[in-house]
Amino acid sequence: MKFFMAKQIEGVSERILACAKQEFLEKGYTDASLRSIAAAADTSTNSIYVRFQDKEGLFSAIVEPVLTEMTERFLKIQEAFCQMDHAAQAAHMAEYADGGTMELVDYMYDHLDEFRLLLDSSYGTRFHNFVDALVQIEVEYTYKYMASVGGPAHLDDAMTQKLLHIVTTSRFESIFEVIRHGMSREEAAKYIELLSR
């Protein structure tokens, strides 16, 4: 009897996460129902609260590990480029940017459902504007690059600063469009190459 109960408990969290992912993909965060998720996972809403606290905790358990790893990878790419001397940075800027972008795109395709959730189903959660954190990193390292190759460490003109932020945001959004448009990984690679050109 003890063994049977242990086997019953095992796998509940995994079932909840799988059913929640499907619910969030189909209905978005706002319209997703914990009651529906619990029913699909053959458990109670209380077991969701015990394991994940609330609906946002459940959503977070699905997307946050993937987003954290992507952000860490992005920072690593930026930092590796920043450590190059200024001549190497100037010589390899384009190929490094393209290679880094494709590394992130490959990572997104390895975790496609999670990024579909982040991009199109996260309204109402703290992840809704997740792209802002990536933009801030890119802008910060753009300033470092400018200083390294002999430009200003910061842009003095507020309009120019806003333009850099807008252009950087646009670039990220254009990359994420490969997922929104349902492109295959191969199509995405061609699109990113074209975009870079």
Side-chain angles (χ1 to χ4, degrees):
M1 182 68 176
K2 214 173 191 182
F3 175 77
F4 178 73
M5 287 184 70
K7 291 302 277 183
Q8 283 265 11
I9 293 168
E10 281 178 17
V12 173
S13 293
E14 291 77 9
R15 284 202 318 272
I16 291 170
L17 287 168
C19 295
K21 185 190 284 189
Q22 198 57 44
E23 177 86 356
F24 289 135
L25 284 168
E26 289 174 7
K27 298 180 182 174
Y29 174 79
T30 306
D31 293 334
S33 159
L34 288 184
R35 191 170 291 165
S36 297
I37 293 166
D42 195 25
T43 190
S44 66
T45 53
N46 186 57
S47 70
I48 295 175
Y49 287 118
V50 166
R51 288 168 174 82
F52 302 102
Q53 294 188 324
D54 55 19
K55 186 160 75 165
E56 186 161 348
L58 181 54
F59 189 86
S60 175
I62 297 168
V63 301
E64 190 166 23
V66 169
L67 181 57
T68 298
E69 185 174 343
M70 182 191 183
T71 305
E72 287 169 358
R73 284 172 178 241
F74 184 51
L75 267 169
K76 192 175 176 183
I77 292 165
Q78 295 284 3
E79 194 54 39
F81 182 74
C82 190
Q83 295 304 316
M84 294 179 180
D85 64 62
H86 67 275
Q89 285 185 355
H92 300 289
M93 173 63 164
E95 65 189 75
Y96 207 87
D98 293 348
T101 300
M102 272 317 300
E103 182 180 330
L104 295 180
V105 170
D106 279 335
Y107 182 78
M108 289 192 298
Y109 273 85
D110 288 342
H111 303 89
L112 193 54
D113 283 345
E114 288 81 0
F115 280 96
R116 286 174 58 211
L117 288 173
L118 284 164
L119 291 167
D120 297 323
S121 302
S122 62
Y123 182 78
T125 75
R126 64 189 170 91
F127 300 99
H128 179 62
N129 294 314
F130 80 94
V131 71
D132 288 347
L134 298 173
V135 169
Q136 284 179 334
I137 293 167
E138 178 76 19
V139 167
E140 177 189 342
Y141 279 89
T142 297
Y143 284 132
K144 288 181 181 182
Y145 169 71
M146 287 162 51
S148 173
V149 296
H154 286 88
L155 300 171
D156 294 328
D157 179 22
M159 184 65 76
T160 310
Q161 290 175 22
K162 287 177 183 171
L163 180 62
L164 175 58
H165 188 272
I166 290 167
V167 168
T168 304
T169 303
S170 298
R171 184 164 188 273
F172 273 108
E173 291 294 349
S174 64
I175 291 166
F176 293 137
E177 284 297 293
V178 300
I179 291 175
R180 288 194 172 112
H181 284 273
M183 292 185 190
S184 68
R185 193 187 296 246
E186 293 73 23
E187 288 173 322
K190 289 177 186 173
Y191 169 83
I192 296 299
E193 183 187 352
L194 197 57
L195 182 67
S196 297
R197 272 195 242 150

